[in-house]
Amino acid sequence: MSRLTDKIAAWQPQPNDRFYRMIVRTGQALRLVFRIRVDVTGEENLLPPGPRNGQSRRPVPGEGAVVAITHFGYLDFAFAELVLWHHARAQMRFLITKGAGSHWFAGPAIRAAGHVIVDRSAGSAAYQGALEKLKAGEYVAILPEAGVSRSYTVRELKTGAVRLAAEAGVPIIPISVWGSHRLMSRGHKLSLKTVFRAPVRVHVSKPIWHDADADVVRETEQLRAELQDGIDRGIADFPLVPEAGAWWQPAHLGGGAMTEEERIAADAHDQATGRHKRQ
């Protein structure tokens, strides 16, 4: 790494609303350029927009939320962000791994966007950082599957989303994204041919509230069921009919994706060998 990249990596800018808006508008522009069709259902389940600071949502203590997003592809988060931005000009704060946060180019951008850097060897600090943002009225976005589901069904969830929501006294907004994985996912690179005029389905389920003494394991399973219900809705009215054995379709629907058993075995193998290990 050169001296220039060393200096960039060491730069830790403060969160900046203007920079965040620039990222969102870049995403909006790309969607228009490639004519990506985004169909959203369940928008009535989103929280009221609330006040703004200029062009962005103004966080109000007590009015934050955990946004739980499915994770089948690498762009799912972007479509969820576009939905929340369109509804409330909300700037979601994502939990980002330390590895990404330390990258010479991405790291400063992640900090400027106000995201939470997660060091998995010191998870309590990241948890407290996310909790503080929630109590301040921010929207904190979490991908609770903690990795891409290669069966394209919602895999086992980490309990962090429920624990954070219960302790902060805020709801969880489940957002299921279907079709985004066709554009870019694990083992499938971005293809401009696939992206052009691609359909994406986003479903917002009803907010889930949790008591401070919530049964975290049981309510995490409830969240998983809600996310899968949203995926099922997206599949049911997806405007693109898949070919038999299509790689992006779940096995139980005749697709070529891993079965649940194969996905579980592959995830266990990855964990045992340290492949795709996150920091």
Side-chain angles (χ1 to χ4, degrees):
M1 185 178 288
S2 67
R3 288 185 179 181
L4 175 60
T5 52
D6 280 338
K7 289 180 179 180
I8 295 174
W11 182 38
Q12 297 192 13
Q14 293 299 308
N16 185 289
D17 286 358
R18 183 176 297 177
F19 179 78
Y20 195 106
R21 290 196 299 271
M22 181 187 72
I23 294 175
V24 171
R25 287 168 180 162
T26 299
Q28 291 173 321
L30 289 172
R31 177 194 167 188
L32 291 174
V33 167
F34 291 108
R35 301 185 187 180
I36 298 173
R37 170 182 170 182
V38 181
D39 294 328
V40 184
T41 53
E43 284 184 281
E44 68 277 6
N45 295 321
L46 292 170
L47 302 180
R52 294 186 187 179
N53 274 337
Q55 301 179 52
S56 303
R57 173 183 176 272
R58 173 162 61 84
V60 177
E63 296 186 11
V66 172
V67 181
I69 307 166
T70 53
H71 195 19
F72 295 175
Y74 297 144
L75 300 176
D76 297 349
F77 77 94
F79 289 101
E81 172 58 62
L82 289 177
V83 170
L84 267 294
W85 180 263
H86 179 265
H87 174 74
R89 294 297 187 269
Q91 299 186 7
M92 293 199 293
R93 309 307 182 186
F94 287 83
L95 302 188
I96 307 293
T97 62
K98 181 182 177 183
S102 301
H103 189 271
W104 72 271
F105 179 76
I110 288 169
R111 289 179 171 82
H115 299 312
V116 180
I117 306 297
V118 177
D119 182 349
R120 294 184 184 275
S121 65
S124 60
Y127 182 92
Q128 288 302 318
L131 185 61
E132 289 172 8
K133 288 184 180 292
L134 286 170
K135 289 182 175 180
E138 298 269 20
Y139 282 6
V140 173
I142 297 177
L143 306 175
E145 294 170 271
V148 171
S149 173
R150 288 170 283 181
S151 63
Y152 306 130
T153 55
V154 180
R155 58 188 271 184
E156 302 83 357
L157 307 186
K158 301 295 184 181
T159 60
V162 172
R163 291 189 292 113
L164 278 168
E167 188 169 349
V170 301
I172 294 180
I173 303 174
I175 296 186
S176 304
V177 182
W178 176 257
S180 169
H181 61 296
R182 291 183 59 249
L183 312 185
M184 189 178 184
S185 186
R186 184 170 173 182
H188 299 276
K189 296 180 180 180
L190 185 69
S191 165
L192 297 183
K193 182 179 178 180
T194 303
V195 170
F196 190 69
R197 298 195 180 204
V200 175
R201 276 283 281 109
V202 180
H203 180 73
V204 183
S205 298
K206 292 181 179 179
I208 305 173
W209 291 85
H210 304 277
D211 296 328
D213 58 351
D215 182 334
V216 172
V217 174
R218 181 179 63 81
E219 297 197 25
T220 297
E221 279 302 310
Q222 178 194 356
L223 173 59
R224 183 185 185 186
E226 289 290 341
L227 289 170
Q228 184 61 53
D229 177 69
I231 291 295
D232 294 341
R233 290 170 185 258
I235 292 175
D237 61 4
F238 196 60
L240 186 64
V241 178
E243 298 176 357
W247 68 265
W248 52 272
Q249 190 77 348
H252 72 276
L253 295 178
M258 291 184 179
T259 64
E260 273 295 277
E261 293 75 17
E262 291 169 338
R263 192 269 304 163
I264 291 170
D267 289 346
H269 179 265
D270 285 351
Q271 186 172 11
T273 58
R275 188 181 182 189
H276 298 289
K277 184 177 179 182
R278 296 184 174 190
Q279 292 181 311

